[in-house]
């Protein structure tokens, strides 16, 4: 082949290389070069929720710990000086009464069933009259032991076995089913201390002999897909507290009316085979209880399966002054989920990583807000930056992309979570291209419980001055929120696309 004067085969090769580079640059301009990747290619279409039908009878079963250590929560003879409430009743008494009333707010209303829990769990009583008596009468609490695990193990059992000879149609079941379903709601009311004389010999928990068995019983329900939550409440107390460490030791304890920090905690273990129904019950119950609880730090929740956020929230990029010459931000109008764009000067390949922040405003749910302050909630999260794979044009593999690195996160004065990061272009020869990321915040399940559980827990119970806390509460509840419902839960997500200025 003959070339024009001044041309050679080497010159021609260089021109072809230049032409090819221009073609690649053109392609990136159409999908990733000067113009960012479209959000439609980055954010997946939402998947519809598929609701499943849960078989359960419309009952709320209250399992009441009737051991002797519970008597101190009830006002002796209704003495007004003992209680905060003007009617002389304690917070504990009012909570028991509200368990009778909350069912009327449900749709449809549920029937209340009552079961005593001591060394054994007594058969169900299909009446709430004894629950009312337990709210005002100390003589109800005479049990010598507390088999909490035994009560929890009964949650999945039907309230009544199908009568022998009855057909499936007699109780609304379909043919082939052997037993009716469990009750829809279960609430165990207790001071949280497991106490049975029988000790585990073979490692089994058939008698529920210690807090390990309580934890095992709860984990078993969560593994089966049940929803659960533990609500902690403080109440006035005047009576005996029995030490589990020094068996038989009775300690006299009296809270002070003017100091709610001296109130003794008790707990509602709320469970349901229907997680959505559980959330509705817990929210309705807490709303009713808040009108009764006037003291500081009155109610706390350790949600085991509930959502910790109510939506996508919002986010923005914050560029400090020292990075203003190298970073440029924009935010899309659409905020569901939040989507941010960061343009990075290619000179950062020489200047080095430039700091910036992503401030995320999380719409914490009521379950989360009762687990701690905004600062504490921020500390319960872990963040990761995931690359979003987007179909690229032919030749895109020759492009180079900016690097984003997460450093830390902390709350700001507005209650947002501020994720600190850096951005820069690595050295290279490829054409600058665009890249997409998904910033995801989840519960850090390596943290065993919300902070309030640790504050309400003690590892000794041999003196009365620790009666405002619960023996081994932290150990008994540790790690229970590490289940399938919570592991798959996304608390916050932000989509980010980064590219050249």
């Amino acid at each position: 082949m003959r070339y024009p004067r001044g041309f050679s085969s080497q010159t021609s090769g260089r021109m072809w290389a230049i032409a090819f580079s221009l073609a690649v640059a053109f392609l990136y301009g159409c999908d990733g070069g000067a113009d960012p990747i479209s959000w439609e290619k980055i954010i997946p279409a939402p998947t519809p929720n598929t609701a499943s039908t849960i078989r359960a009878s419309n009952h709320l079963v209250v399992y009441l710990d009737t051991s002797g250590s519970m008597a101190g929560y009830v006002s002796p003879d209704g003495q007004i000086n003992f209680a905060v409430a003007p009617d002389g009743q304690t917070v504990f008494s009012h909570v028991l009464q509200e368990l009778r009333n909350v069912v009327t707010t449900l749709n449809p209303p549920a029937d209340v069933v009552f079961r005593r829990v001591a060394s054994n769990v007594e058969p169900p009583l299909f009446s709430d009259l004894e629950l009312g008596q337990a709210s005002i009468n100390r003589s109800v609490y005479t049990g010598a032991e507390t088999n909490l695990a035994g009560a929890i193990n009964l949650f999945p059992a039907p309230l009544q076995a199908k009568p022998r000879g009855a057909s499936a149609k007699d109780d609304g079941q379909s043919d082939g089913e052997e037993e009716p379903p469990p009750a829809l709601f279960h609430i165990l009311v207790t001071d949280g201390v497991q106490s049975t004389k029988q000790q585990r010999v073979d490692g089994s928990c058939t008698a529920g002999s210690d807090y390990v068995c309580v934890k095992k019983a709860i984990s078993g329900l969560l593994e089966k897909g049940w929803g659960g939550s533990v609500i902690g409440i403080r109440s006035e107390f005047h009576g005996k507290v029995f030490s589990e460490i020094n068996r038989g030791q009775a300690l006299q304890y009296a809270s002070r009316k003017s100091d709610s920090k001296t109130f003794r905690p008790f707990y509602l273990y709320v469970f349901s085979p229907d997680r959505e129904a559980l959330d509705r019950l817990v929210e309705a119950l807490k709303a009713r209880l808040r009108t009764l609880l006037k003291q500081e730090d009155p109610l706390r929740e350790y949600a085991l399966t509930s959502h910790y956020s109510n939506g996508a929230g919002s986010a923005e990029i914050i560029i400090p002054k020292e990075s203003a010459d190298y970073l440029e931000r924009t935010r899309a109008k659409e905020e569901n989920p939040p989507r941010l764009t960061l343009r990075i000067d290619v000179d950062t390949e020489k200047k080095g990583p430039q700091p910036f922040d992503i401030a995320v405003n999380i719409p914490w749910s009521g379950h989360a807000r009762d687990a701690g302050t905004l600062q504490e909630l921020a500390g319960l999260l872990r963040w990761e930056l995931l690359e979003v794979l987007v179909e690229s044009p032919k030749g895109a593999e020759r492009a180079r992309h900016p690097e984003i690195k997460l450093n830390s996160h902390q709350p700001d004065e507005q209650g947002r979570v501020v994720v600190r990061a850096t951005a820069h272009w690595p050295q290279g020869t490829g054409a600058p291209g665009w890249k997409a990321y998904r910033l995801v915040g989840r519960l850090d399940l390596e943290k065993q419980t919300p902070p309030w559980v640790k504050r309400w827990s003690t590892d000794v119970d041999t003196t009365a001055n620790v009666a405002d806390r619960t023996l081994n509460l932290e150990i008994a509840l540790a790690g229970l929120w590490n289940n399938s419902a919570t592991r798959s839960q996304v608390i916050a997500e932000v989509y980010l696309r980064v590219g050249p200025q």
Side-chain angles (χ1 to χ4, degrees), residues 393-413:
K394 187 176 181 179
E397 64 276 2
R398 296 177 178 271
R400 60 188 177 117
H401 303 95
E403 291 184 356
I404 306 295
K405 181 181 179 181
L406 301 186
N407 294 327
S408 63
H409 70 277
Q410 64 184 52
D412 67 3
E413 63 279 0

Side-chain angles (χ1 to χ4, degrees), residues 7 54 56 97 117 126 147 156 177 211 240 244 281 297 343 360 373 382-383 401 474 480:
F7 273 67
I54 306 296
Q97 293 161 14
V117 180
F126 290 80
N147 190 0
E177 292 177 333
Y211 63 84
K240 293 180 179 179
E244 286 300 306
L281 172 65
D297 198 27
R343 293 179 180 269
V360 186
T373 64
R382 62 178 177 85
W383 295 85
H401 303 95
E474 183 182 15
L480 286 174

Side-chain angles (χ1 to χ4, degrees), residues 374-390:
L374 293 178
Q375 288 73 21
E376 289 173 336
L377 293 176
L380 293 177
L381 298 181
R382 62 178 177 85
W383 295 85
E384 56 184 340
L385 192 65
L386 306 173
E387 181 182 350
V388 178
L389 298 179
V390 179

Side-chain angles (χ1 to χ4, degrees), residues 248-446:
Q249 181 186 16
L251 305 169
Q252 194 70 27
Y253 182 73
S255 62
R256 296 189 297 272
K257 177 181 177 180
S258 59
D259 186 2
S260 61
K261 293 181 180 179
T262 65
F263 288 7
R264 181 164 169 79
F266 70 99
Y267 306 91
L268 308 180
Y269 289 67
V270 190
F271 283 81
S272 173
D274 187 329
R275 291 175 181 169
E276 293 185 4
L278 172 91
D279 289 348
R280 292 193 296 270
L281 172 65
V282 169
E283 291 294 354
L285 181 59
K286 292 193 301 181
R288 296 185 68 90
L289 294 181
R290 288 196 191 285
T291 62
L292 307 172
L293 307 176
K294 305 299 183 182
Q295 71 267 27
E296 181 185 354
D297 198 27
L299 180 151
R300 285 288 174 256
E301 182 182 1
Y302 177 18
L304 305 178
T305 56
S306 302
H307 291 288
Y308 275 71
S309 66
N310 286 328
S314 60
E316 67 171 329
I317 293 175
I318 301 174
I319 299 176
K321 184 177 181 180
E322 62 267 29
S323 302
D325 292 337
Y326 299 95
L327 303 179
E328 180 185 346
R329 63 177 183 175
T330 57
R331 181 173 63 182
K333 294 181 180 180
E334 176 63 48
E335 283 283 7
N336 188 22
R339 51 203 70 183
L340 307 172
T341 301
L342 181 67
R343 293 179 180 269
I344 307 166
D345 194 323
V346 292
D347 284 348
T348 55
E349 65 180 358
K350 297 178 181 178
K351 183 66 176 179
Q354 299 298 304
F356 72 100
D357 298 335
I358 301 177
V360 186
N361 187 13
I362 301 175
W364 297 106
S365 69
H367 303 286
R369 289 182 178 273
D370 286 326
T373 64
L374 293 178
Q375 288 73 21
E376 289 173 336
L377 293 176
L380 293 177
L381 298 181
R382 62 178 177 85
W383 295 85
E384 56 184 340
L385 192 65
L386 306 173
E387 181 182 350
V388 178
L389 298 179
V390 179
E391 183 178 357
S392 300
K394 187 176 181 179
E397 64 276 2
R398 296 177 178 271
R400 60 188 177 117
H401 303 95
E403 291 184 356
I404 306 295
K405 181 181 179 181
L406 301 186
N407 294 327
S408 63
H409 70 277
Q410 64 184 52
D412 67 3
E413 63 279 0
Q414 301 177 42
R416 302 177 301 179
V417 179
V418 178
V419 181
R420 304 199 179 280
T422 59
H424 79 287
W425 283 94
Q427 292 186 353
T429 58
W434 283 84
K435 199 170 187 178
Y437 292 96
R438 179 173 174 249
L439 177 65
V440 182
R442 302 179 187 271
L443 286 174
D444 184 355
L445 297 176
E446 291 186 1

Side-chain angles (χ1 to χ4, degrees), residues 56 71 102 160 208 221 226 229 283 330 337 372 394 400 468 473 494:
V102 72
Q160 290 179 322
L221 290 176
W226 279 54
S229 188
E283 291 294 354
T330 57
K394 187 176 181 179
R400 60 188 177 117
D468 60 345
L473 179 69
V494 179

Side-chain angles (χ1 to χ4, degrees), residues 42 85 89 96 107 133 155 258 273 327 332 360 377 383 442 495:
I42 296 173
Q89 295 186 27
L96 293 189
N107 186 19
Q133 282 295 315
F155 288 3
S258 59
L327 303 179
V360 186
L377 293 176
W383 295 85
R442 302 179 187 271
Y495 282 89

Side-chain angles (χ1 to χ4, degrees), residues 126-138:
F126 290 80
S127 169
D128 61 359
L129 295 180
E130 289 211 21
L131 183 59
Q133 282 295 315
S135 70
I136 59 175
N137 191 346
R138 283 191 167 197

